[in-house]
Amino acid sequence: MRISDEMVKHIRAIIKKTGYIPNRAAASLRTGKTHVIGLIVEDIANSFFASMAKSVEKVAAKVGYRVVYGSTENNDSRGNDLIQLLVKQVDGFLITPSIGMKTGVQALRKSRKPLVLIDRYFPGEEIPFALVDNYGGVSKATECLIGKHRKNIAFVNVAMDQIQMKERERAFVEVMRDRGLFQKKWLLRLPYYQDKAQYEPRIRNFLQKHPEIDAIIFATNYLGMFGIKALKDLDISIPEQVAVFSFDDTDLFRFSSPSISVISQPVQEIAAQAMRLLLDQMGGQTKKTPEEGALIAPELILRSSV
Amino acid sequence: MRISDEMVKHIRAIIKKTGYIPNRAAASLRTGKTHVIGLIVEDIANSFFASMAKSVEKVAAKVGYRVVYGSTENNDSRGNDLIQLLVKQVDGFLITPSIGMKTGVQALRKSRKPLVLIDRYFPGEEIPFALVDNYGGVSKATECLIGKHRKNIAFVNVAMDQIQMKERERAFVEVMRDRGLFQKKWLLRLPYYQDKAQYEPRIRNFLQKHPEIDAIIFATNYLGMFGIKALKDLDISIPEQVAVFSFDDTDLFRFSSPSISVISQPVQEIAAQAMRLLLDQMGGQTKKTPEEGALIAPELILRSSV
DNA sequence: CTGAAAGCGCTTACAG
DNA sequence: CTGAAAGCGCTTACAG
């Protein structure tokens, strides 16, 4: 505060007149800070990750950061390449890692690069994460269906070892077991397809094989999308014959008729918590407490499908 | 080619062993190139722009570029801020400009910053652009409806001075005039709302006021989304009472029942052309021919709604 | 307190 | 042809 207001005003005027913009590459070289955050998601075209990108952009802009993004498409080597590509160009990472990115992510962590996992995490790895309470969400949805006197409830999942998928499934299985309703045949695990349209016939088959099913929970938005298509193709009425829940909220679920009940992820909240955990690390000063994970409560949105 | 293969191999081995990654900030300072592209869109959470981001990411990665993004939300000053923020940090811009970004974009162009407009452009400004043939798309859709003996066709647009919106409307008006079918009262222009849900009651009102309407073309994906909701709320059957077209393809239109016919933008093609025009400028060598715009043909996808 | 100088890690023009 | 040196534009430790 040793500089007079007048001088400040004068300098600002010159900055404006000459159109001076600091060269961040130079500043970056000198300080080692880029003021850029790397956002690595599964697929930026998926509405969940697209909203995430929007929220991250907003929170980051507020604290003077820009965001570069990359999609892994659940391809491990692509994901690791993205990390390598960006590691020197960003101050920190927000990553939705595929399973095979574990070593890459661990290396990043060991090198003390600020890093927060989103949407999933590696159990036992002490890497900060921000994600929805997958277990809580599905268990609530399952209980809701049971409360509506559905007994033959199916769960359609994608067969990936990722923790978020396992947690969703575990919640379903445990609640069903508790009530003595669990049947293994009502648990459908499908491979991860790049081409999501392949889910539709698979789900249709499953439904035909198990006409006793009176409710389904879809573990992801794309399973829900194609699952509903399959139900409609088979002229199975929602919710009369089969009640439906899907994870993730999308326009499709909101506007579908009947509208689909969902376990909604509070994307803004997740983004805000992730950025908070990241900024904690990037501040890099006197953090005594080790950073932990943030588990954000999902919102059960009841619509016409239950 | 004066270096022996052996030496190349030796060096590469050391690079790998030591984990050397060039510092791009340093290279950038020296060369003035950042190998980053700035993607400024209206709203990265909108499915059209999200797919665009995905395609841009892909094409850019192939030629060694990273992508930073920003959403204007049709706010002029936010858009101009984004340009200022990114101008020194990117080698080139892909921008969907709002009207008020015209001066900012012109300044960018004058400063010879590589720049391609997408989704819209400024007529008479000689700034390269890549976008769908809006006029052609809507005129085809209009003719398709007339071919199916619809006569009282409405057009729902968002009241913006942006060229892509005007072109879509102009196509509709001219085709209808040609056939002697045009009625001004069937042209609905709604303000640009941040909160898209506001479109639904407005469209519902319009439909109630004009029960004679037997077909509608919605000029954007969100107008289509809320327009269909309005139709369903009023128990107007699609396509029996009212046939429907919407601009832009989305999951919602594909999965809606009935499925909705659309004027689909070939996003990958637009991204590829935009990048081509951008790389032409960034190459910066012997381009004699001034860069021009790329007008990409839309695809009319006929589904159950017509 | 203040101003000049060093140096971040590259690339490339240039001297030898 | 090759290797050393200059310099991109900042920030900050340091001499005065």
Coordinates of all heavy atoms in Angstrom, one line a residue, chain B residues 20 23 26-27 30-31, chain C residues 8-13:
Chain B
Y20 N 12.0 -37.1 -19.4 CA 12.1 -35.7 -19.9 C 10.8 -35.3 -20.6 O 10.4 -36.0 -21.5 CB 13.3 -35.5 -20.8 CG 13.3 -34.2 -21.5 CD1 13.6 -33.0 -20.7 CD2 12.9 -34.1 -22.8 CE1 13.6 -31.8 -21.3 CE2 12.9 -32.8 -23.4 CZ 13.3 -31.7 -22.7 OH 13.2 -30.5 -23.3
N23 N 9.4 -28.3 -21.6 CA 8.6 -27.3 -20.9 C 8.0 -26.4 -22.0 O 8.7 -25.6 -22.6 CB 9.4 -26.5 -20.0 CG 8.6 -25.4 -19.2 OD1 7.7 -24.9 -19.8 ND2 9.0 -25.2 -18.0
A26 N 8.3 -22.6 -21.9 CA 9.6 -22.1 -22.4 C 9.6 -22.0 -23.9 O 9.9 -21.0 -24.5 CB 10.7 -22.9 -21.8
A27 N 9.2 -23.1 -24.5 CA 9.1 -23.1 -25.9 C 8.2 -22.0 -26.4 O 8.4 -21.4 -27.4 CB 8.6 -24.5 -26.4
R30 N 9.7 -18.7 -26.4 CA 10.7 -18.5 -27.4 C 10.0 -18.4 -28.8 O 10.4 -17.5 -29.6 CB 11.6 -19.7 -27.4 CG 12.7 -19.7 -28.4 CD 13.6 -18.5 -28.3 NE 13.7 -17.7 -29.6 CZ 14.8 -17.7 -30.3 NH1 15.9 -18.2 -29.9 NH2 14.7 -17.1 -31.5
T31 N 9.1 -19.3 -29.1 CA 8.5 -19.4 -30.4 C 7.3 -18.5 -30.6 O 6.9 -18.3 -31.8 CB 8.1 -20.8 -30.8 OG1 7.1 -21.2 -29.9 CG2 9.3 -21.7 -30.7
Chain C
dC8 P 17.9 -21.0 -14.1 OP1 18.5 -21.7 -13.0 OP2 18.5 -20.9 -15.4 O5' 16.4 -21.6 -14.3 C5' 15.4 -21.4 -13.3 C4' 14.1 -21.3 -14.1 O4' 13.9 -19.9 -14.5 C3' 14.0 -22.1 -15.3 O3' 13.4 -23.3 -15.0 C2' 13.1 -21.3 -16.2 C1' 13.1 -19.8 -15.7 N1 13.8 -18.8 -16.5 C2 13.1 -17.6 -16.8 O2 12.0 -17.5 -16.4 N3 13.7 -16.7 -17.6 C4 14.9 -16.9 -18.1 N4 15.5 -16.0 -18.8 C5 15.6 -18.1 -17.8 C6 15.0 -19.0 -17.0
dG9 P 14.2 -24.7 -15.4 OP1 13.5 -25.8 -14.7 OP2 15.6 -24.5 -15.2 O5' 13.9 -24.8 -16.9 C5' 12.6 -24.9 -17.4 C4' 12.5 -24.8 -18.9 O4' 13.0 -23.5 -19.3 C3' 13.5 -25.8 -19.6 O3' 12.7 -26.3 -20.7 C2' 14.6 -24.9 -20.1 C1' 13.9 -23.6 -20.3 N9 14.7 -22.4 -20.4 C8 15.8 -22.2 -19.6 N7 16.3 -21.0 -19.9 C5 15.5 -20.4 -20.8 C6 15.5 -19.1 -21.4 O6 16.3 -18.2 -21.2 N1 14.4 -18.9 -22.3 C2 13.5 -19.9 -22.5 N2 12.5 -19.5 -23.4 N3 13.4 -21.1 -22.0 C4 14.5 -21.3 -21.1
dC10 P 13.1 -27.6 -21.4 OP1 12.4 -28.7 -20.8 OP2 14.5 -27.6 -21.7 O5' 12.3 -27.3 -22.8 C5' 13.0 -27.0 -24.0 C4' 12.6 -25.6 -24.5 O4' 13.2 -24.6 -23.7 C3' 13.0 -25.4 -25.9 O3' 12.0 -25.8 -26.8 C2' 13.3 -23.9 -26.0 C1' 13.5 -23.5 -24.5 N1 14.9 -23.0 -24.2 C2 15.2 -21.7 -24.6 O2 14.5 -21.1 -25.3 N3 16.4 -21.2 -24.2 C4 17.3 -22.0 -23.4 N4 18.4 -21.5 -23.1 C5 16.9 -23.3 -23.0 C6 15.7 -23.8 -23.4
dT11 P 12.3 -26.3 -28.2 OP1 11.0 -26.7 -28.8 OP2 13.5 -27.2 -28.1 O5' 12.7 -24.9 -29.0 C5' 11.8 -23.9 -29.2 C4' 12.5 -22.8 -29.9 O4' 13.6 -22.3 -29.2 C3' 13.1 -23.2 -31.3 O3' 12.7 -22.2 -32.2 C2' 14.6 -23.3 -31.0 C1' 14.8 -22.3 -30.0 N1 15.9 -22.4 -29.0 C2 16.7 -21.4 -28.8 O2 16.6 -20.3 -29.3 N3 17.7 -21.6 -27.9 C4 18.0 -22.8 -27.2 O4 18.9 -22.9 -26.4 C5 17.1 -23.9 -27.5 C7 17.3 -25.2 -26.8 C6 16.1 -23.7 -28.4
dT12 P 12.7 -22.4 -33.7 OP1 11.4 -21.8 -34.2 OP2 13.1 -23.8 -34.0 O5' 13.9 -21.4 -34.2 C5' 14.0 -20.1 -33.7 C4' 15.4 -19.6 -33.9 O4' 16.3 -20.0 -32.9 C3' 16.0 -20.0 -35.3 O3' 16.8 -18.9 -35.8 C2' 17.0 -21.1 -34.8 C1' 17.5 -20.5 -33.5 N1 18.1 -21.4 -32.5 C2 19.0 -20.8 -31.6 O2 19.3 -19.6 -31.6 N3 19.6 -21.7 -30.7 C4 19.4 -23.0 -30.7 O4 19.9 -23.7 -29.8 C5 18.4 -23.6 -31.6 C7 18.1 -25.0 -31.6 C6 17.9 -22.7 -32.5
dA13 P 16.6 -18.5 -37.3 OP1 15.1 -18.2 -37.5 OP2 17.3 -19.4 -38.1 O5' 17.3 -17.1 -37.3 C5' 17.2 -16.2 -36.2 C4' 18.6 -15.7 -35.8 O4' 19.2 -16.7 -35.0 C3' 19.5 -15.4 -37.0 O3' 20.3 -14.2 -36.7 C2' 20.4 -16.7 -37.1 C1' 20.5 -17.1 -35.6 N9 20.6 -18.5 -35.3 C8 20.0 -19.5 -36.0 N7 20.3 -20.7 -35.6 C5 21.1 -20.5 -34.5 C6 21.8 -21.3 -33.5 N6 21.7 -22.6 -33.6 N1 22.5 -20.7 -32.6 C2 22.6 -19.3 -32.6 N3 22.1 -18.5 -33.4 C4 21.3 -19.1 -34.3

